Amino acid sequence: METTRLSAAVWAALFMINVHSTGAGAQEGRPGVTAPQLSLPYAEQKFRGDVGTTYLDSDPAQFPKQVAAPKGAPNVLLVLLDDVGFGQFSVSGGGVASPKMEQLAREGFSFTRFHTTAVCSSTRAALLTGRNHHVAGSGNITEVATGYDGYTGIIPKETATFAEIMRLNGYITSWIGKNHNTPTYETSEMGPFDHWPNNLGFDYFYGFMAGDTNQIRPYLYENRTPVGQQTDDDYFLSVDLADKSIDWLQQAEAIQPDKPWMMYLAPAATHSPHQAPKELIDKYEGKFDGGWDEYRERTLARQKKMGLVPENTQLTERSEGLPAWDSLNEDQKKLSARMMEVFAAYGEHVDQQVGRVLDYIRTLADAENTMIIYIIGDNGASSEGGIPGTLNENAFFNGVQMQTEDMMPFIDEIGTSKHFNHFPAAWAHAMDTPFQWVKQVASHLGGTRNAMLVSWPAKYASSGEVRTQFTHVVDVAATILEAAGIEEPRSVNGTAQRPIEGRSFLSVLEDADADEIRTSQYFEMFVNRGIYKDGWWAGSLSFKPWDPNRGDFDPLNAPWELYNLEEDFSQANNLAEENPEKLDELVKLWWATAAKDQVLPLDWRGSERFSSELMGKPNLAAGRSRFVYPQPLVGLPEASAPDLKNKSFSISAKVTIDDNANGMIFTQGGNTGGWGFYLLDGKLAATHNYLDITRYTVTSDDVVAAGTHELAMEFAYEGGETDIGKGGTITLTVDGRQVGAGKVDRTTPMKFSLSENQDIGTDTGTPVTYDYSEPFDFEGALGEVVVSLSR
């Protein structure tokens, strides 16, 4: 057959294609990897054969291959618990049963000198990126971001997560549980989604987008899609997260059994609210009646017996400001013991549920080649319940402290969905045995020392060995990448990368006497400052962490303490006066490191940093005073909703109803604080929940007749532009006619919740008042709802 004549231009183009297609071959041994490179993603594959005029005189077609992980790369399970003290669980000598953790410890390695950053968002950013938390833009939790480079609450593109690096190297990845690394003002259904888990390297996400959540009534997301509130009577979040973890692993193993997986499992426990099944709570009845001082003594004795701390470890003094157990009255003891019983049940429950995931992994064909890193806490135990404890942790974030007499009438409700309860600060200190201080306090080990378990049977045999080398959360990413055989990239998705600051601790698994991989590390949180160097630690405390109301402070003249950790495991002996030269050396090193790693400027402000308006944070609702909602809307995060705090506002709604109608018209917040505007048994009502301390409700004098109406509430704020938390007057109207009015003495000043939302036409969270039961769907036709703000 005669070859078809082609123009010179076409022949020239074909020639160029053919020349291009006969370039360098793909890298041997890694399907889909076109050539060795330190820029991700890998270059797209092009057809390398000969191309003729038709498929008949061309080489056989070949599809591009998927990028394959390095040969023998392990599966990786990374578990991170929340708000856990070093001396909390039985695996490290504590009084909270953790048989599943103990089993893993017997199969692997226990690290007793592992460190975190002292709060959750910061630890998680350092964990995910392998960079120090300020370098990763996360110098504190996202809710108190200030906008300076080290404190934006945004993980920069120049600090790609290890998950993204693994995903681009042939892993399938998932994140299940808590996400506290997306800016609060980017968590609505409209995004933007750049900083959601799916854009941080995770193929799959299931969990909640907040610092905490109700364990029985959480609002969850699957990838970017709201799942909504869970309503089953026997629901607990830890169970759900374990179920989803096992489901995902079953799918991964069934669909792509030859492809390694990485799962990041981040339960909410044991962060407030402390909630657990009643049968577990009952199990601990009476077990903490001896109090926190006795608990500390017994825990340290167990830690020594287990070989987790040196025999000469001293029990540090009770941190300044915390009461002795014997100084409490009977009501205080009864309430405090009950709160600890609930907390212990909460802890044992999460051990059971993560243990189900561990048990499932043990059944897999590639179980031996699964690396498990189980970090038992993202910081020390939390004292954010204050000295007496609280029924509502959110009160702390608003600078308000409940008292024992406020809580005693509700003692039997502690541990249920009705309250966001948190135990007393002294119990947090006891959970951190044998150290000083608690969460937030980065200057001392009580805030930063957490236990860690590691297992990788195919590579490192162990029968319960202990590792004592100083390690830090930034070292985890580098360890995982080395285990997977993946090089650190210089560029990811077109952005040049800052070097990973962590160092792999695989050498420590290999040899108990291996040199420390980390000889220097800085710490900072709320201007609590610490620095470690070659066995020495210098620290400077700023404020007591259980008091969110903070005044003037001079970081340049704040005292520093000095400890020799080689001889003093628990930081019991301050050597500042005995060795001023060493202290001066470390303080200078801290300032130099702080300047390099975006720690400056220092900011010690407390509860006011939770206010988006006071801090000037971005907000989807900013700059508007009128909001029109033409139809029901659910799940709008508080940070993206109209800010109803410290101002006057009105809400109106066009409705068509029958007699004795019920249902939510508008709500923002939940049982931790907020507003509700609704119909109840035909009467119009409005409620302000002041931090679960007091509820102010105004109800119409008469029922609203069946028909079409315009219903409205107006709140007239009595404070000035700079006043916060003042009261005001609620006025209710039907078709412009006043039908009810009443006084509100106090209002929530800073934050209604970290995890509740704004809903129209229903209530997807916890109720603002228990006069109704959620979801409290509106009965009738709900038309346009308008929210108007004024000063």
Side-chain angles (χ1 to χ4, degrees):
M1 184 175 66
E2 183 178 352
T3 303
T4 304
R5 287 184 177 273
L6 301 176
S7 69
V10 173
W11 276 115
L14 289 171
F15 175 76
M16 293 303 296
I17 293 172
N18 220 29
V19 168
H20 177 75
S21 71
T22 56
Q27 181 184 7
E28 294 295 328
R30 291 273 313 271
V33 178
T34 51
Q37 61 182 56
L38 291 177
S39 178
L40 296 176
Y42 291 101
E44 291 184 346
Q45 301 165 63
K46 303 298 181 182
F47 180 64
R48 301 299 181 181
D50 290 329
V51 176
T53 56
T54 72
Y55 75 94
L56 295 172
D57 55 3
S58 303
D59 285 345
Q62 294 180 346
F63 285 96
K65 292 182 172 62
Q66 292 185 355
V67 173
K71 186 177 181 180
N75 301 317
V76 178
L77 173 66
L78 174 61
V79 180
L80 178 64
L81 299 188
D82 203 338
D83 282 8
V84 177
F86 183 83
Q88 176 172 320
F89 284 108
S90 59
V91 70
S92 51
V96 178
S98 56
K100 294 298 185 180
M101 292 185 216
E102 291 179 39
Q103 180 181 354
L104 183 62
R106 290 191 296 270
E107 297 169 351
F109 302 86
S110 296
F111 282 67
T112 60
R113 297 179 72 217
F114 177 81
H115 300 82
T116 53
T117 69
V119 301
C120 46
S121 293
S122 306
T123 290
R124 292 157 196 268
L127 174 69
L128 291 171
T129 67
R131 283 85 167 183
N132 283 309
H133 55 301
H134 295 89
V135 172
S138 304
N140 213 304
I141 61 173
T142 56
E143 289 81 3
V144 299
T146 61
Y148 294 106
D149 285 348
Y151 300 90
T152 61
I154 298 171
I155 294 177
K157 292 181 179 179
E158 65 183 4
T159 62
T161 69
F162 74 84
E164 178 69 351
I165 297 169
M166 296 176 80
R167 188 184 69 83
L168 294 172
N169 273 280
Y171 270 78
I172 183 171
T173 59
S174 66
W175 178 342
I176 297 184
K178 173 175 174 173
N179 169 26
H180 202 193
N181 293 104
T182 299
T184 56
Y185 47 85
E186 294 185 1
T187 58
S188 80
E189 288 186 62
M190 293 294 102
F193 301 105
D194 305 58
H195 306 110
W196 284 49
N198 292 138
N199 280 343
L200 292 175
F202 293 89
D203 297 307
Y204 178 77
F205 171 70
Y206 180 85
F208 62 100
M209 305 275 290
D212 54 27
T213 191
N214 194 294
Q215 300 299 297
I216 301 169
R217 293 291 181 263
Y219 193 86
L220 303 176
Y221 290 82
E222 187 165 28
N223 298 315
R224 298 176 181 176
T225 303
V227 177
Q229 185 197 40
Q230 307 306 297
T231 58
D232 292 346
D233 290 339
D234 59 350
Y235 179 91
F236 282 94
L237 180 59
S238 294
V239 178
D240 189 8
L241 298 181
D243 287 344
K244 278 293 187 295
S245 297
I246 294 169
D247 288 347
W248 186 85
L249 289 171
Q250 288 174 335
Q251 291 181 38
E253 293 282 333
I255 297 171
Q256 291 184 298
D258 296 328
K259 188 170 187 174
W261 49 261
M262 187 282 293
M263 173 180 285
Y264 171 36
L265 174 56
T270 51
H271 195 294
S272 175
H274 306 157
Q275 296 164 331
K278 184 178 184 302
E279 60 272 17
L280 274 179
I281 298 173
D282 292 345
K283 172 183 172 180
Y284 284 94
E285 184 176 359
K287 291 195 173 181
F288 302 103
D289 289 353
W292 41 69
D293 296 320
E294 177 184 288
Y295 179 98
R296 294 185 76 222
E297 294 172 357
R298 291 185 175 182
T299 296
L300 179 56
R302 287 191 294 263
Q303 290 169 338
K304 290 180 179 180
K305 184 177 180 180
M306 295 168 69
L308 298 175
V309 304
E311 277 295 327
N312 66 350
T313 299
Q314 300 177 51
L315 187 63
T316 56
E317 294 182 2
R318 190 186 314 108
S319 294
E320 181 183 355
L322 296 177
W325 180 261
D326 289 342
S327 71
L328 304 185
N329 64 36
E330 287 307 307
D331 276 354
Q332 290 170 331
K333 288 181 178 179
K334 183 177 180 181
L335 180 67
S336 297
R338 179 61 174 178
M339 287 186 162
M340 182 59 209
E341 291 165 8
V342 171
F343 180 79
Y346 184 30
E348 182 173 352
H349 191 234
V350 76
D351 176 72
Q352 291 174 352
Q353 301 313 313
V354 176
R356 289 172 51 220
V357 180
L358 297 176
D359 287 343
Y360 175 74
I361 289 173
R362 292 184 181 100
T363 69
L364 300 178
D366 48 1
E368 292 289 302
N369 195 31
T370 298
M371 184 182 196
I372 299 171
I373 299 177
Y374 196 138
I375 303 172
I376 309 176
D378 53 358
N379 42 248
S382 169
S383 66
E384 290 157 0
I387 297 298
T390 185
L391 293 181
N392 181 15
E393 183 200 35
N394 192 51
F396 170 87
F397 299 136
N398 284 275
V400 176
Q401 179 64 63
M402 286 188 178
Q403 300 301 323
T404 302
E405 56 268 27
D406 301 322
M407 296 181 277
M408 281 299 292
F410 307 101
I411 189 170
D412 292 333
E413 295 177 354
I414 294 173
T416 72
S417 65
K418 285 191 171 184
H419 303 287
F420 223 85
N421 48 285
H422 191 301
F423 64 8
W427 275 126
H429 182 235
M431 296 304 100
D432 291 322
T433 301
F435 307 116
Q436 303 181 55
W437 300 104
V438 291
K439 176 184 177 181
Q440 296 187 29
V441 185
S443 56
H444 290 76
L445 293 177
T448 60
R449 177 72 61 84
N450 288 90
M452 179 175 70
L453 310 175
V454 180
S455 171
W456 187 7
K459 188 75 172 179
Y460 303 104
S462 175
S463 55
E465 298 178 31
V466 174
R467 293 292 186 264
T468 60
Q469 287 86 345
F470 190 102
T471 46
H472 188 270
V473 67
V474 292
D475 299 320
V476 173
T479 303
I480 291 174
L481 292 178
E482 184 184 4
I486 297 172
E487 294 184 77
E488 176 185 347
R490 295 176 183 171
S491 174
V492 177
N493 297 324
T495 300
Q497 296 293 291
R498 291 189 63 143
I500 289 177
E501 294 172 293
R503 300 187 64 186
S504 169
F505 53 73
L506 290 185
S507 61
V508 175
L509 298 178
E510 182 74 40
D511 181 3
D513 298 320
D515 292 338
E516 286 192 344
I517 52 98
R518 177 155 302 282
T519 59
S520 179
Q521 178 62 42
Y522 85 90
F523 298 82
E524 188 279 333
M525 193 60 57
F526 285 117
V527 200
N528 293 297
R529 293 164 287 170
I531 186 80
Y532 171 82
K533 183 73 168 71
D534 296 328
W536 289 87
W537 180 295
S540 178
L541 177 75
S542 58
F543 292 90
K544 294 181 178 67
W546 47 82
D547 184 359
N549 301 306
R550 295 163 186 183
D552 294 336
F553 181 70
D554 181 3
L556 297 178
N557 291 307
W560 285 75
E561 301 169 16
L562 179 68
Y563 300 94
N564 182 352
L565 298 188
E566 296 299 313
E567 300 176 358
D568 180 14
F569 181 86
S570 62
Q571 290 185 326
N573 301 299
N574 179 8
L575 304 178
E577 292 185 3
E578 298 176 27
N579 200 337
E581 295 83 4
K582 174 60 71 173
L583 179 61
D584 183 62
E585 171 194 334
L586 292 179
V587 172
K588 288 177 179 176
L589 177 61
W590 187 92
W591 281 105
T593 307
K596 175 180 72 72
D597 273 6
Q598 303 179 167
V599 181
L600 308 179
L602 299 177
D603 189 343
W604 52 88
R605 289 173 293 177
S607 59
E608 62 264 43
R609 284 174 66 176
F610 282 91
S611 171
S612 295
E613 286 195 334
L614 292 177
M615 292 294 102
K617 293 186 185 75
N619 187 316
L620 298 185
R624 292 189 285 162
S625 59
R626 188 170 185 270
F627 304 83
V628 179
Y629 302 100
Q631 61 186 18
L633 174 75
V634 301
L636 182 64
E638 182 182 338
S640 298
D643 193 337
L644 306 182
K645 295 175 284 295
N646 309 313
K647 61 175 66 68
S648 299
F649 65 89
S650 65
I651 303 169
S652 65
K654 296 177 180 178
V655 306
T656 301
I657 57 173
D658 293 329
D659 288 329
N660 298 314
N662 289 281
M664 183 59 65
I665 298 170
F666 173 97
T667 182
Q668 190 180 117
N671 66 5
T672 59
W675 288 91
F677 179 44
Y678 51 94
L679 285 166
L680 184 62
D681 296 330
K683 289 189 175 184
L684 190 60
T687 294
H688 177 62
N689 174 5
Y690 176 70
L691 299 170
D692 199 23
I693 296 173
T694 304
R695 288 169 171 83
Y696 302 94
T697 298
V698 176
T699 305
S700 64
D701 299 327
D702 300 306
V703 298
V704 181
T708 299
H709 301 283
E710 182 168 343
L711 310 180
M713 68 159 286
E714 180 178 341
F715 177 68
Y717 184 61
E718 295 178 347
E721 287 195 11
T722 59
D723 293 326
I724 61 172
K726 300 296 184 181
T729 301
I730 296 173
T731 302
L732 303 178
T733 63
V734 176
D735 300 325
R737 178 177 60 87
Q738 181 174 322
V739 296
K743 188 79 168 58
V744 175
D745 294 329
R746 298 175 291 179
T747 56
T748 305
M750 301 298 180
K751 196 80 175 168
F752 295 142
S753 168
L754 298 190
S755 55
E756 298 277 356
N757 297 313
Q758 173 180 298
D759 297 317
I760 294 173
T762 188
D763 189 346
T764 63
T766 56
V768 171
T769 171
Y770 285 98
D771 291 342
Y772 66 86
S773 299
E774 75 281 16
F776 203 42
D777 295 332
F778 186 79
E779 298 172 353
L782 180 60
E784 182 178 86
V785 175
V786 177
V787 179
S788 298
L789 309 180
S790 60
R791 301 305 303 190

